[in-house]
Structure formats: C-alpha cells, structure tokens
C-alpha cells in the first residue's frame, strides 16, 4: 500500500464551537434586553452569598434569575430559591467549568422578561476563564482569606473580567491582608477593572454594586432603544 | 482540569478535517497555545495522548507552540511583547509612551494550526 503523507494547514480556533454557541446566547440576551453576569471565583469565595444579597436588593424593582453551576448537587440553587428568586441548576458531573453548550441546554427555561441573569460558575479561578458563556459582564471574586497575592497568580480570570469584587471585607481587621496591594496588582494586569469591596455579613458595598448593575442595565437599554 | 474538554473539541475539528482531506490516518497535530489562554501545555499534552486512542489520530505526535503575549498600544500604535505578565515588575503601561490604553492582541489564542496526514 503506497500511502502518501502530506501537511494540511487548518488554522481553526479550538474554542470556536464554544464561541459560536456563546454568541448566539449573547444575541438572544440582547434581544430580550437581559443583562447577564458570569461570576468567577475559587470555591467558597462567597459567590452564592453575594448573589443572595444582590438578589434581595434588586428583587423589588427588577426581575432577577440565577443559573447555578456546580460539579454536583442542587444546594446553591435551593439557597437562591429560598430568597424567592428563580434558579436553574447546571451540574457538570466532574467538569470544572461551565461551557456555553451547557447553558444553551437550559436556556429555553429562562424567561425572556428577566432584567438580570446571574450565572454562578463552578468554584475554580482557572478553568472557567477560558469559556465565554455569552455573558454581558464578567465578575471575578476574591475573598480576603484567600490572600492579597492572587491577581498575578490567576491572571486569566482578572484579564477577562470587567469587575473585581473583593469579598468578605468584614474579615479585613483580622487578617494580614493588604487591600491596596491587591487592588494595585489587579489594576496592573487589567487597568479597566472596576473594583468593589463587599461583605455579605455586614452588607458593605452591596448598595454600590447594585447601583452599578442598574446603571449598566440602563446604559445598554438606552443604547439599544 | 479543563484541558480534557478542550482536547475533545480539538478532536472534533481533527476528525472533520481528516474526513475533508481524505486522510486514512493523522500522524502529527500542531497546536498554538497562548501564554494567557489558561491552558497548561503539559496537561494539554497528556489529555491529548489519552484522548487519541481509538481515533484517526491514534499514533499522532503532538507539537505545541506557545504564543507570546502581545499588546497594541493605542497611545503610540506600537506593539509590545510582554515578557511575562506574572512578573513582579510587570506594570500595565506602554514602555514607549507610558499610555495605559493597551489592548491584548495575542496570547489568549488556542488554535489547531496544521495536521500531517496520510492518504491512500
Ligand atoms: N465573614 C464572611 N463570610 C462569608 C462572606 N460571604 C460568604 N461567607 C462564608 O463563606 C462560605 C462560602 O460562601 P458561599 O457563598 O457558599 O461561597 P461560594 O463561592 O458560592 O462557594 P462554591 O459555590 O462552593 O464555590 C460560607 O460559609 C459563607 O457563610 C462574607 O462576606 N464574610
Ligand atoms: Mg456557590
Ligand atoms: Zn505607546
């Protein structure tokens, strides 16, 4: 058998299929004027706790929904339902991140008249950063107990986000954590980041964060009106 | 470890390309991995070699080229290659004009560049 060997130039984006699904989700969100936020952080940085606070605050005035991404269990979705918000759980069964196709599978269940859709990614500061979900904004959360040296250790998450939320700020008095250093370092790798400092215990910073979200929603609606 | 799901997407492309070009076997796969893509080359390599079993690229070798981080400065228009963004000394400002208005133009990419195939 005389087989021939040859080279084929391909130049194709390996994440192309994820990006394609993400842009069709982005398109639908835009049509329905829903502001979608993808939240990234390590396990236990306070994503669900922050969403409980934000959800309660926005709830009266806006329609809010939450997608919960976890490796296993419905626990986070149940926490969100407890405060009266609709929540959809995606369990990835081992995968350490959400992909656009996972969101696409449940997208039909999400009501078109939502104002805000929060997507809590799987707790992991590395992997989720590579996958666009079609979100309007990406938030990276870092909690005070994790340490002030993280932005440069996890640059993808900080570079691909528009908002940096420093969580559990009520713990600042008890830990050797240099707030200025962490903000400086985050801005060095991404000077466009907007920074918020919050606590789900004292409620610090929640109002500011909600005001920002409202202004982003209005800004987009005016632009698309 | 998201390298496995990325490798699964890679194989979808490899199989489609192989079919299109009438390959009986894929002998070499060359990918470009951006320094800031979030993909660890070594993890990618082991995911590749465990995934390839039983596919058309069963015996394929993998070549990885790591692409550098590059910025374009909107202040002066120059292109800047960041040595290493994780460096303590890295600060996000153009070394030529000091502007902070820089855009990341390469370093996040993940590409299948080329295949070496056998046809009958
Ligand atoms: N002191 C303090 N503790 C907090 C705060 N926010 C969350 N916690 C605690 O941190 C732990 C984790 O919070 P979660 O909100 O479940 O974190 P998560 O990021 O959703 O966790 P995963 O979904 O498992 O990744 C819980 O015990 C919370 O009570 C805060 O602002 N201050
Ligand atoms: Mg949670
Ligand atoms: Zn410049």
């Amino acid at each position: 058998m005389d087989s021939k060997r040859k080279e084929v130039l391909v130049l194709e984006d390996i994440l192309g299929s994820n990006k394609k699904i993400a842009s069709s989700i982005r398109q639908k969100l835009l049509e329905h004027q829903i502001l979608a936020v993808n939240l990234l952080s390590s396990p236990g940085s306070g994503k669900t706790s922050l969403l409980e606070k934000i959800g309660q605050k926005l709830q009266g005035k806006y329609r809010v929904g939450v997608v919960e991404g976890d490796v296993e269990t419905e626990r986070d979705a149940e926490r969100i339902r407890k405060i009266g918000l609709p929540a959809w759980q995606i369990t990835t069964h081992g995968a350490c991140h959400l992909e656009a196709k996972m969101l696409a599978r449940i997208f039909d269940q999400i009501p078109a008249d939502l104002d805000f859709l929060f997507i809590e990614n799987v707790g992991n500061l590395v992997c989720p950063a590579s996958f666009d979900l079609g979100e309007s904004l990406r938030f990276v959360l870092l909690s005070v107990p994790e340490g002030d040296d993280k932005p440069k250790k996890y640059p993808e998450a900080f570079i691909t986000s528009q908002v940096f939320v420093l969580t559990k700020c009520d713990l600042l008095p008890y830990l050797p954590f240099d707030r200025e250093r962490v903000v400086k370092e985050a801005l060095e790798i991404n000077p466009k980041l907007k920074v918020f400092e919050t606590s789900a215990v004292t409620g610090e910073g929640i109002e500011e964060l909600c005001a920002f979200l409202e202004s982003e929603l209005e800004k987009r609606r005016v632009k698309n009106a | 470890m998201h390298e496995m799901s990325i490798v699964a997407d890679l194989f979808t492309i490899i199989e489609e390309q192989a079919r299109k070009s009438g390959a009986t076997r894929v002998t070499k796969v060359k990918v470009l991995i951006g320094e800031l893509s979030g993909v660890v080359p070594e993890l990618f390599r082991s995911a590749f070699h465990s995934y390839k079993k039983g596919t058309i690229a069963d015996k394929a070798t993998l070549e990885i080229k790591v692409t550098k981080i590059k910025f374009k400065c909107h202040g002066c228009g120059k292109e800047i290659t960041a040595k290493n963004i994780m460096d303590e000394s890295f600060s996000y400002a153009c070394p030529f004009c000091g502007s902070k208005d820089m855009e990341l133009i390469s370093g996040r990419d993940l590409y299948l560049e080329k295949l070496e195939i056998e046809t009958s």
Side-chain angles (χ1 to χ4, degrees), chain B residues 71-89:
Chain B
F71 291 95
K72 187 175 174 71
C73 172
H74 291 304
C76 67
K78 288 206 172 74
E79 274 185 18
I80 299 108
T81 314
K83 276 194 306 271
N84 189 338
I85 200 161
M86 283 72 95
D87 261 15
E88 291 300 326
S89 63

Side-chain angles (χ1 to χ4, degrees), chain A:
Chain A
M1 200 182 94
D2 57 329
S3 64
K4 283 174 291 178
R5 203 167 260 213
K6 68 172 181 185
E7 227 179 52
V8 184
L9 191 67
V10 184
L11 270 184
E12 201 171 316
D13 187 346
I14 301 172
L15 287 174
S17 81
N18 185 73
K19 285 181 187 160
K20 225 162 94 189
I21 301 168
S23 28
S24 88
I25 292 174
R26 182 167 284 118
Q27 189 53 42
K28 280 188 210 157
L29 290 167
L30 200 68
E31 279 165 24
H32 301 152
Q33 303 210 316
I34 300 172
L35 185 91
V37 179
N38 182 3
L39 286 96
L40 265 56
S41 87
S42 313
S45 298
K47 299 178 290 299
T48 312
S49 305
L50 184 72
L51 287 178
E52 287 168 333
K53 289 285 167 198
I54 296 178
Q56 277 165 335
K57 181 116 193 113
L58 293 174
Q59 198 166 25
K61 202 165 158 197
Y62 298 98
R63 291 214 53 191
V64 182
V66 178
V67 171
E68 284 291 346
D70 281 288
V71 175
E72 299 294 344
T73 85
E74 284 259 335
R75 285 180 194 165
D76 280 357
E78 277 157 17
R79 280 173 63 186
I80 298 296
R81 287 179 198 129
K82 226 174 237 157
I83 61 162
L85 296 178
W88 302 271
Q89 182 77 49
I90 300 177
T91 42
T92 63
H93 305 295
C96 48
H97 58 273
L98 290 179
E99 291 181 31
K101 64 178 177 220
M102 303 175 186
L103 184 58
R105 266 184 229 130
I106 60 145
F107 201 80
D108 286 345
Q109 300 171 37
I110 294 167
D113 62 350
L114 283 189
D115 297 303
F116 293 103
L117 178 66
F118 294 99
I119 306 161
E120 177 177 338
N121 219 307
V122 180
N124 180 328
L125 201 46
V126 181
C127 309
S130 299
F131 298 89
D132 183 10
L133 302 178
E135 71 263 22
S136 335
L137 290 171
R138 188 176 285 192
F139 282 21
V140 57
L141 277 63
L142 177 72
S143 66
V144 166
E146 290 171 74
D148 52 22
D149 61 343
K150 295 298 174 287
K152 283 193 180 177
K153 283 190 170 173
Y154 300 95
E156 294 88 26
F158 285 84
I159 279 190
T160 59
S161 295
Q162 291 78 39
V163 174
F164 166 29
V165 188
L166 182 62
T167 60
K168 310 193 188 179
C169 283
D170 56 288
L171 299 177
L172 278 170
Y174 312 106
L175 294 163
F177 184 98
D178 188 340
R179 223 183 70 223
E180 272 165 40
R181 175 191 172 180
V182 82
V183 172
K184 180 172 164 280
E185 200 170 290
L187 292 175
E188 269 169 13
I189 53 176
N190 183 357
K192 292 182 186 122
L193 275 176
K194 265 198 82 73
V195 183
F196 293 91
E197 296 174 23
T198 65
S199 164
V201 170
T202 65
E204 175 194 345
I206 303 297
E207 208 155 302
E208 289 83 350
L209 191 51
C210 289
F212 167 76
L213 285 163
E214 288 187 48
S215 74
E216 285 294 310
L217 183 74
E218 298 311 327
K219 200 168 86 188
R220 281 153 214 262
R221 291 195 170 165
V222 168
K223 212 171 77 190
N224 298 312

